[in-house]
Amino acid sequence: MKKKKNLIVSFIVIICLIAVGSASVLGANAYVKMIGGKRIISPEKATELTDVDCIIILGCGVDANGNPSWMLEDRLKKGIELYKKGAAHKILMSGDHGRKFYDEVNTMKQFAMDTGVPSSDIFMDHAGFSTYESMYRAKEIFEAESVIIVTQEYHLYRAVYIAEKLGLKAYGVSATERVYGGETYFEQREILARCKDFLITILKPKPTYLGEVIPVSGDGNITND
């Protein structure tokens, strides 16, 4: 009887822990979406802003030939569109260039230059290894204070939330232009990512790399490699 009772108690404790954990995850996810969502605006509203230092385009996959994925292509097109309509005079391409044979940011810069954006108006953050690190470095390395963040909608809530918690005045514009492969997976993974960054923005660890200050108000060619 005692053994059976202990098993029942253990089972109840496990169920309670699962319930508390699930509630915490769902609560953090909802909170990040609520706070981040308040600053998501339309492209039309973005072009009416007058205090933006730069448009941050967040990197994602490129293939072995250096071609942007559909997600990245849509982010680039939307960010470039905002730039050409005067939403900001500088673009910050933030992505992963931590390996010799994988380079998101030069692909992003070249794409923008091919549409007529001057190289001097395009900054590359080669160490934007995560959304958190991209926002941290935008503020501390590139000295941005007010930014427009461009990425897909599912990702935008978290990106804007992180930026705000790090002291940036941030607006978000969605680059969702089509149905993407693996979209359900990305949506589900994002729930856990929001919870992770909810905690990280409380602790505020330093990113993988910092380095010398490169004001986004200057010449983007300084970030060329």
Side-chain angles (χ1 to χ4, degrees):
M1 285 294 293
K2 186 176 180 180
K3 185 176 181 181
K4 184 177 181 181
K5 184 177 179 181
N6 287 339
L7 286 172
I8 292 171
V9 170
S10 297
F11 179 74
I12 292 172
V13 169
I14 291 170
I15 293 299
C16 289
L17 289 173
I18 291 172
V20 170
S22 298
S24 298
V25 167
L26 293 174
N29 175 64
Y31 181 72
V32 170
K33 284 196 73 175
M34 179 186 70
I35 299 300
K38 291 179 179 179
R39 306 286 287 187
I40 295 176
I41 59 176
S42 68
E44 292 73 26
K45 287 287 185 183
T47 59
E48 295 173 3
L49 299 172
T50 58
D51 62 344
V52 178
D53 296 318
C54 66
I55 297 161
I56 300 176
I57 303 178
L58 295 174
C60 62
V62 299
D63 66 23
N65 296 317
N67 300 309
S69 62
W70 284 1
M71 274 191 172
L72 183 54
E73 182 178 320
D74 288 345
R75 295 178 191 185
L76 290 163
K77 286 180 177 178
K78 183 62 66 177
I80 292 165
E81 175 191 327
L82 292 173
Y83 165 86
K84 290 186 175 181
K85 290 184 176 179
H89 300 300
K90 302 290 182 177
I91 301 175
L92 174 58
M93 307 294 193
S94 186
D96 184 349
H97 187 195
R99 291 162 284 169
K100 184 177 180 180
F101 299 108
Y102 185 76
D103 182 356
E104 292 176 359
V105 291
N106 275 290
T107 291
M108 295 163 74
K109 179 161 186 171
Q110 189 60 54
F111 187 100
M113 290 172 60
D114 288 345
T115 70
V117 181
S119 176
S120 58
D121 286 349
I122 307 169
F123 287 75
M124 291 185 290
D125 179 2
H126 300 266
F129 301 133
S130 68
T131 309
Y132 174 81
E133 292 188 276
S134 291
M135 298 307 144
Y136 195 114
R137 287 173 53 81
K139 184 174 186 293
E140 299 300 329
I141 299 298
F142 295 94
E143 293 191 328
E145 296 181 1
S146 180
V147 300
I148 296 172
I149 303 166
V150 178
T151 184
Q152 275 70 32
E153 184 175 347
Y154 79 90
H155 183 205
L156 200 53
Y157 299 98
R158 178 164 60 99
V160 174
Y161 177 86
I162 293 169
E164 292 271 319
K165 291 301 177 181
L166 291 176
L168 287 162
K169 184 177 182 181
Y171 306 90
V173 173
S174 172
T176 301
E177 298 293 329
R178 62 183 110 185
V179 175
Y180 305 99
E183 194 164 346
T184 300
Y185 166 75
F186 291 128
E187 292 277 2
Q188 292 174 345
R189 187 182 69 174
E190 189 65 15
I191 294 173
L192 295 178
R194 290 179 192 131
C195 295
K196 170 183 67 72
D197 284 329
F198 172 80
L199 295 174
I200 286 177
T201 53
I202 294 172
L203 300 173
K204 293 184 174 60
K206 290 184 178 180
T208 306
Y209 298 108
L210 279 173
E212 295 182 5
V213 170
I214 307 169
V216 77
S217 57
D219 187 336
N221 287 314
I222 196 172
T223 61
N224 292 349
D225 58 355

